[in-house]
Amino acid sequence: MTSTDLLRDNPHYFHFQGQEFKLQAHAELRFEVEAKASVELEMTEGRGEMFGTELAKNKKYIFVSGSKVAIYTWHGCTIVLKGKAEVAYISKETPMVVYVNTHAALEQMRQKAEAENTRGPRILVVGPTDVGKSTLCRILVNYAVRLGRSPVLADIDVGQGNMGLPGTIGALVVERTADVEEGFQQTAPLVFHYGHKSPNDNFQLYNMLVSRLAEIINVRCEQSKKVNCSGVIINTAGWIRGAGYEALKQAAGAFEVDVICVLDQERLYNQLKGDLPDFVKIVLLPKSGGVVERSQATRAESRDNRIREYFYGLKNNFFPHSFDVRFNDVKIFKVGAPSLPESCLPLGMKSQDSQTKLVPLVPSNSLLHHVLSISAATTVDQDIVETNVLGFLVVTSVDMDKSVFTVLSPAPRPLPRNILLVMDIQFMDIK
């Protein structure tokens, strides 16, 4: 029995002191970092890539607690691991050939768009939770960038918030491949405040923000021929039944997608084939064998880690600020009023309108530990609901006697704007 077979079959944790893995062509090394630990990775021979980003030879990469990593090689390579992993194994059963063929088809569409001066492909990646949608988006974007493209990556999965924080949707023009350790460089993403963990919490607001995001992406594409030809890749939530399915169709219409990639869900594939027009190409793709289903507790922990990473950095290399904000210096709102019966509403108003209504809040102890979005709006007369946000704060304490609350902030005082939006998402700073 080889050491690689042992690592695959043994369910216990592994402590590597320079374990060497030799990968043959078209093989994939998969490992997950143990909680409160780290793993150092170095490619000593050959060529390999992580989710479409090429690894540099003899460079040491550090992956922190909870990282799920897959290193694929087209020609063969040698990988050395040091640290503690929860699981590690080499697999030859990987969908990477299918994914690169998908990329090649998209590239042909980009070349045609470039020649005819038209719009590049717009791809919606859909499927249930935990099938690798975010990973596929990352692979497709990285392959496009490696060919000199500048695609737009849009994220409308409010549960994880890869573009901003959980409870937001956003988009980013990508001009460089994702960093192996830290992902895409997010210097100036466009982010909108939604405020909940699921589209179902405020369906009307979710659909409105998705449409708003699509409008702004259209404007951005009109400003740059390169971006327009490169196309848009859209990551979606894993809610695919009932209203979630309607949200997917609404997003497909808002972004005017050309291609829908369905991951590991034949039922959803056939539903979309029947409901969407023929000019939308719908393809069924397999998920990676390394993808595992996460529990609700694991997903909640992932959200906390994403918020903590925003303030402290992936490797705790950021140093956030803490300062007091006076009640009178800010205006605090929540998007969405409690639903009322039709008979109690003003004449001509519908119950759905309350879901996108801006409700002013009086600062109180109920703000404690809540995440706040800083709106880019300069006055309350603006359409704050459809205005993007500049950043995020967390309320760490409230002093009603002094009429101040203390915030954790990535930047020092003063706040860039005084209009704050409350999320239904909480974070306890226990660092």
Side-chain angles (χ1 to χ4, degrees):
M1 178 181 288
T2 66
S3 60
T4 303
D5 291 330
L6 180 65
L7 290 171
R8 179 190 300 156
D9 299 331
N10 193 334
H12 301 295
Y13 295 118
F14 307 103
H15 192 174
F16 300 116
Q17 298 284 359
Q19 175 73 46
E20 189 176 87
F21 294 83
K22 291 187 178 293
L23 280 71
Q24 302 298 320
H26 302 292
E28 192 169 68
L29 170 63
R30 301 169 183 160
F31 65 90
E32 183 174 341
V33 183
E34 183 183 340
K36 298 180 181 179
S38 64
V39 167
E40 178 188 283
L41 179 149
E42 181 182 3
M43 184 179 69
T44 56
E45 294 178 7
R47 296 178 65 180
E49 60 184 45
M50 174 182 162
F51 307 137
T53 302
E54 289 189 290
L55 299 178
K57 194 174 179 179
N58 297 322
K59 178 178 179 180
K60 293 179 172 62
Y61 299 99
I62 305 297
F63 297 97
V64 297
S65 171
S67 297
K68 297 177 178 63
V69 181
I71 306 299
Y72 183 81
T73 177
W74 295 98
H75 308 287
C77 68
T78 300
I79 301 292
V80 176
L81 295 185
K82 294 180 182 179
K84 294 182 179 180
E86 186 173 338
V87 65
Y89 63 94
I90 294 176
S91 174
K92 292 184 179 179
E93 296 180 3
T94 166
M96 281 299 296
V97 173
V98 179
Y99 292 170
V100 81
N101 285 339
T102 303
H103 154 71
L106 296 175
E107 180 57 25
Q108 287 181 349
M109 297 173 71
R110 293 186 185 103
Q111 290 172 358
K112 182 179 178 182
E114 199 169 33
E116 299 176 357
N117 198 23
T118 56
R119 198 187 70 185
R122 297 194 170 191
I123 309 101
L124 196 70
V125 178
V126 304
T129 56
D130 302 323
V131 292
K133 295 187 296 296
S134 300
T135 299
L136 176 59
C137 289
R138 180 167 171 171
I139 291 170
L140 294 177
V141 169
N142 277 330
Y143 281 156
V145 171
R146 284 165 64 174
L147 293 180
R149 306 295 184 183
S150 296
V152 175
L153 174 61
D155 184 15
I156 58 174
D157 179 5
V158 294
Q160 298 303 304
N162 294 319
M163 200 65 65
L165 290 187
T168 66
I169 66 172
L172 178 73
V173 175
V174 183
E175 297 179 320
R176 297 178 60 183
T177 56
D179 183 84
V180 170
E181 298 171 332
E182 299 184 0
F184 291 109
Q185 186 178 13
Q186 298 186 19
T187 50
L190 176 71
V191 177
F192 288 97
H193 170 97
Y194 171 67
H196 309 278
K197 294 175 285 189
S198 167
N200 196 34
D201 292 330
N202 193 330
F203 194 60
Q204 191 82 7
L205 175 63
Y206 178 78
N207 284 339
M208 185 179 77
L209 292 177
V210 167
S211 296
R212 176 63 175 158
L213 182 65
E215 288 174 9
I216 296 181
I217 289 175
N218 286 340
V219 173
R220 180 68 179 87
C221 289
E222 290 171 2
Q223 295 172 345
S224 168
K225 180 181 177 181
K226 184 178 181 180
V227 173
N228 194 35
C229 294
S230 299
V232 183
I233 297 173
I234 308 138
N235 182 40
T236 63
W239 185 37
I240 59 171
R241 292 177 180 256
Y245 177 70
E246 296 302 318
L248 289 180
K249 290 198 298 181
Q250 194 272 343
F255 285 99
E256 299 175 339
V257 299
D258 309 294
V259 181
I260 298 181
C261 296
V262 183
L263 276 172
D264 194 48
Q265 180 63 261
E266 194 172 357
R267 178 181 182 274
L268 177 62
Y269 167 78
N270 284 292
Q271 268 188 296
L272 292 169
K273 286 279 283 186
D275 290 346
L276 293 183
D278 293 338
F279 62 79
V280 179
K281 298 180 180 67
I282 303 174
V283 294
L284 180 62
L285 301 178
K287 71 174 182 179
S288 169
V291 175
V292 293
E293 190 171 340
R294 293 176 293 175
S295 64
Q296 290 292 334
T298 303
R299 296 180 72 82
E301 183 181 358
S302 176
R303 281 192 290 270
D304 280 347
N305 289 338
R306 180 70 190 94
I307 298 172
R308 184 174 290 106
E309 179 188 328
Y310 174 79
F311 290 101
Y312 291 100
L314 188 63
K315 300 177 182 177
N316 292 321
N317 53 339
F318 295 170
F319 300 94
H321 302 260
S322 181
F323 53 85
D324 292 340
V325 177
R326 292 184 297 181
F327 292 173
N328 292 335
D329 289 344
V330 293
K331 297 177 176 65
I332 303 176
F333 298 93
K334 182 178 177 63
V335 183
S339 298
L340 294 173
E342 297 280 355
S343 58
C344 299
L345 294 172
L347 189 64
M349 184 178 179
K350 298 179 180 180
S351 58
Q352 292 92 337
D353 296 338
S354 64
Q355 294 186 333
T356 58
K357 182 181 178 183
L358 205 62
V359 181
L361 296 181
V362 177
S364 67
N365 286 317
S366 63
L367 288 177
L368 188 61
H369 303 310
H370 277 271
V371 179
L372 306 178
S373 300
I374 305 173
S375 175
T378 53
T379 68
V380 293
D381 296 329
Q382 285 182 250
D383 187 355
I384 296 173
V385 177
E386 293 192 84
T387 300
N388 64 299
V389 299
L390 301 176
F392 306 95
L393 310 167
V394 168
V395 179
T396 55
S397 70
V398 180
D399 191 330
M400 296 301 295
D401 295 331
K402 295 182 180 179
S403 295
V404 299
F405 57 89
T406 306
V407 296
L408 185 70
S409 168
R413 71 175 85 206
L415 296 176
R417 298 285 192 275
N418 68 340
I419 297 175
L420 307 178
L421 303 173
V422 179
M423 288 196 186
D424 277 344
I425 296 171
Q426 293 180 292
F427 171 73
M428 293 188 66
D429 182 27
I430 56 175
K431 182 173 172 61

